Amino acid sequence: MVDSDPGTAERWPPGYRCALSVTIDVDGRYGEANFRPDDMFWISQTAYDPRGTERLLSVLADRGTKATFCWVGRAAEDQPLQVRAAVAAGHEIALHSWDHRPYNRMTPDEQRADMQRSLQALRRISGMTPVGHKTASWRYDDATHRLAQELGLLWVMDEPAGDVPYLIQPDTALPSLVQFPPSRWFDDYTFFVDTVLPPQQAFEIWRDDLDVLRDEGGMM
Ligand SMILES: [Zn+2]
């Protein structure tokens, strides 16, 4: 179900023309370990993840910017102090699966258990209850969002079907979820892993995208 578009004038609170959401997926070693299981070169590169997370927390503090950290459950258990540091700095903590396995290769029961385990770990570590879910590598299926409703979550971020958030309600007996549209073109992996661009070029691509979305009242 897609919400009717209220038009740009009423879409955002008074005084705001667009929305920019900064989301940081903390995969630890588990993203690459599932994606390229026997390739120690790529898995070893993820050893920088804790230092990188510290660096991002510091950049966000410098800029006075709040972000959403989508934490892989096992990575949160590996670095609980970083989860607490992110919460203490006012950032949102969201779910990003237990160990970054693709949900479209799991049964609905396995997905449910994976989400519950991740939710319980993040709740125990952070003292907060996450309300959002970004599926690992955006590999969701028909069951994923119904299960997110079942778990009482408020938002998901998996499907790039537009330039503004919209409501979905796969289970009509449960409250709707907000779907925030992601894009591989807004993702650093596209520019710094799939290919390698100078940061200035990636910045220019993202700045131009944001300029258009600002004119149109969109979200990035
Ligand atoms: Zn990830």
Side-chain angles (χ1 to χ4, degrees):
M1 187 184 84
V2 176
D3 198 21
S4 59
D5 187 344
T8 52
E10 297 161 28
R11 188 179 286 155
W12 307 113
Y16 292 90
R17 285 184 290 166
C18 64
L20 175 68
S21 170
V22 179
T23 73
I24 295 163
D25 301 348
V26 188
D27 291 0
R29 71 194 304 279
Y30 306 102
E32 294 300 329
N34 276 314
F35 188 40
R36 319 177 206 243
D38 300 319
D39 192 336
M40 271 320 292
F41 169 76
W42 284 104
I43 295 169
S44 69
Q45 297 306 298
T46 64
Y48 193 78
D49 188 285
R51 176 67 191 122
T53 305
E54 264 174 38
R55 194 182 278 277
L56 287 168
L57 283 167
S58 151
V59 169
L60 292 165
D62 260 4
R63 300 281 172 170
T65 299
K66 301 292 183 234
T68 294
F69 283 78
C70 303
W71 232 294
V72 165
R74 286 186 73 179
E77 291 211 322
D78 291 345
Q79 302 288 340
L81 295 181
Q82 289 200 332
V83 180
R84 290 183 198 125
V87 170
H91 302 299
E92 180 183 11
I93 305 296
L95 304 173
H96 191 44
S97 82
W98 173 247
D99 61 1
H100 218 277
R101 275 183 300 149
Y103 274 17
N104 63 330
R105 292 190 200 152
M106 293 186 198
T107 67
D109 282 345
E110 287 169 339
Q111 291 185 45
R112 180 188 291 104
D114 193 277
M115 278 188 200
Q116 283 173 338
R117 189 177 189 186
S118 309
L119 184 80
Q120 282 159 10
L122 284 174
R123 191 188 274 148
R124 187 178 66 248
I125 293 165
S126 72
M128 301 179 70
T129 300
V131 296
H133 187 275
K134 188 194 285 185
T135 310
S137 306
W138 297 320
R139 292 325 197 258
Y140 58 97
D141 69 11
D142 288 346
T144 308
H145 298 146
R146 188 165 42 75
L147 294 167
Q149 286 179 286
E150 201 181 281
L151 208 61
L153 300 181
L154 302 181
W155 64 261
V156 290
M157 189 184 290
D158 290 327
E159 185 182 53
D163 296 311
V164 289
Y166 51 94
L167 296 176
I168 58 170
Q169 195 178 23
D171 185 335
T172 53
L174 292 171
S176 303
L177 294 166
V178 178
Q179 173 90 247
F180 290 107
S183 168
R184 67 182 294 247
W185 303 114
F186 302 155
D187 195 293
D188 57 354
Y189 206 95
T190 302
F191 299 112
F192 302 126
V193 184
D194 290 339
T195 185
V196 179
L197 286 189
Q200 187 62 31
Q201 281 188 22
F203 170 74
E204 286 172 13
I205 291 168
W206 288 331
R207 184 199 55 202
D208 290 350
D209 283 333
L210 182 58
D211 283 347
V212 171
L213 290 171
R214 188 189 286 113
D215 284 347
E216 295 178 350
M219 176 175 185
M220 182 173 178

